[in-house]
């Protein structure tokens, strides 16, 4: 869900790209319901036709409560973009490492309000699927870009089957909000096309990440792993070839063998 607000010097926002069309759809199936009528289980009072599936998850998480994560990001969604500060140079580095180039398909995990959608489309991505567990984040994301290449799915990426396989899977500013890193990495590796790439990235240093997640987000996050520990958790089918952790950013990227 975008994970945190960056603390870089403010730069000019890039324009939004796209035509007057958007997709805001669920995964093919969810608790046996069709895409035509899917209950939003995080907000039981809302029964939304043809909009989004989820958030859906089963069982109890033993370290972080997913409903608390949803509530945390739902509450912050309305002001998220107003408080967001971005660095185009850092985002360019991250997307280069992630292999985002013309013609690729991208799975943006915990896409939040869609902060990277314009960047993917500016690089001529052929398809972008954003997934977020927070309904309010997803609603804002879908309101931004009206482009047939983009779809926003509201649900738990660990529970739902993706509609396709992807050339690039990007987890940007969100990894500490997943309770089981190895399980998530294995799950996302199964979403990759042959030769695809999985990238975990943050637009701040590891030290800054630790400070951030020791504050207000403490109850909905876990400490970020050092790059070496994260690389060691990657499943054997992935070959890590980028591991950067400096005073400005954190990037670990691996290619499907």
């Amino acid at each position: 869900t975008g994970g945190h607000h960056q603390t870089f010097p403010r730069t000019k926002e890039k324009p939004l790209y796209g035509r007057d069309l958007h997709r805001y759809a669920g995964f093919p199936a969810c608790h046996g319901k069709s895409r035509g009528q899917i209950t939003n289980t995080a907000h039981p009072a809302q029964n939304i036709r043809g909009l989004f599936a989820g958030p859906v998850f089963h069982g109890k998480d033993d370290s972080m409560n997913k409903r608390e994560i949803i509530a945390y990001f739902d509450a912050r969604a309305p002001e998220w973009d107003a408080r967001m500060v971005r660095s185009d140079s850092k985002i360019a580095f991250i997307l280069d490492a992630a292999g985002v180039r013309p013609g690729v398909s991208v799975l943006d995990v915990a896409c939040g309000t869609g902060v990277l959608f314009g960047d993917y489309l500016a690089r001529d991505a052929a398809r972008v699927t954003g997934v977020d567990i927070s309904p309010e984040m997803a609603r804002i994301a879908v309101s931004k870009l009206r482009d047939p290449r983009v779809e926003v799915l509201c649900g738990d990426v660990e529970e739902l089957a993706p509609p396709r396989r992807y050339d690039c899977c990007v987890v940007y500013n969100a990894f500490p909000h997943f309770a089981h890193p190895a399980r998530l990495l294995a799950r996302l590796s199964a979403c990759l096309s042959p030769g695809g790439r999985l990238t975990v990235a943050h637009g701040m240093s590891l030290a800054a990440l630790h400070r951030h997640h020791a504050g207000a987000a403490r109850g909905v996050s876990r400490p970020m792993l050092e790059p070496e520990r994260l690389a060691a958790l990657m499943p054997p089918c992935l070959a890590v070839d980028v591991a950067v952790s400096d005073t400005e950013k954190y990037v670990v990227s691996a290619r499907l063998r």
Side-chain angles (χ1 to χ4, degrees):
T1 45
H4 56 259
H5 295 99
Q6 303 177 54
T7 55
F8 319 125
R10 188 173 295 275
T11 56
K12 185 176 180 181
E13 292 276 343
K14 287 188 175 181
L16 298 180
Y17 301 85
R19 289 174 287 180
D20 190 20
L21 178 65
H22 69 254
R23 296 188 61 196
Y24 192 12
F27 286 107
C30 175
H31 288 324
K33 295 180 180 287
S34 70
R35 290 175 64 150
Q37 184 173 2
I38 300 171
T39 300
N40 176 358
T41 58
H43 293 242
Q46 299 176 359
N47 195 5
I48 301 172
R49 298 183 61 85
L51 290 183
F52 57 86
V56 176
F57 42 86
H58 306 279
K60 182 179 179 181
D61 195 292
D62 58 9
S63 55
M64 286 192 290
N65 185 305
K66 291 185 180 181
R67 294 188 186 279
E68 291 180 2
I69 293 172
I70 292 168
Y72 178 89
F73 286 104
D74 273 359
R76 286 158 177 77
E79 302 299 324
W80 196 260
D81 288 347
R83 297 176 57 194
M84 181 67 67
V85 180
R86 58 173 281 148
S87 165
D88 287 348
S89 62
K90 293 185 179 81
I91 289 174
F93 182 94
I94 290 167
L95 297 189
D96 284 346
V100 179
R101 61 188 185 277
V104 300
S105 56
V106 180
L107 177 63
D108 187 339
V109 175
C111 66
T113 61
V115 296
L116 293 181
F117 289 174
D119 299 282
Y120 299 138
L121 297 181
R123 289 175 174 237
D124 293 325
R127 166 72 67 177
V128 177
T129 301
V131 182
D132 204 280
I133 200 170
S134 161
E136 296 309 313
M137 289 284 189
R139 288 183 188 279
I140 294 171
V142 78
S143 72
K144 287 183 175 181
L145 292 177
R146 294 178 170 87
D147 189 294
R149 293 173 290 174
V150 181
E151 61 187 346
V152 175
L153 313 177
C154 184
D156 183 355
V157 74
E158 294 188 90
E159 297 286 348
L160 299 175
R164 62 186 62 81
R165 295 186 183 273
Y166 296 86
D167 302 310
C168 309
C169 179
V170 180
V171 188
Y172 176 63
N173 288 353
F175 196 76
H177 302 295
F178 291 90
H180 302 285
R183 186 175 74 189
L184 175 68
L185 295 171
R187 176 75 184 87
L188 297 181
S189 70
C191 299
L192 293 174
S193 300
R197 182 169 288 277
L198 170 58
T199 303
V200 176
H202 288 269
M204 61 171 62
S205 69
L206 187 59
L209 280 168
H210 288 325
R211 289 193 298 272
H212 173 77
H213 292 111
R218 182 176 182 178
V220 294
S221 59
R222 54 172 290 141
M224 188 59 190
L225 299 172
E226 292 78 9
E228 297 79 8
R229 291 182 61 197
L230 177 57
L233 289 180
M234 292 284 188
C237 63
L238 294 177
V240 176
D241 53 10
V242 177
V244 176
S245 180
D246 58 27
T247 59
E248 296 185 334
K249 57 191 174 294
Y250 176 110
V251 186
V252 175
S253 187
R255 179 181 56 81
L256 189 63
R257 299 178 191 273

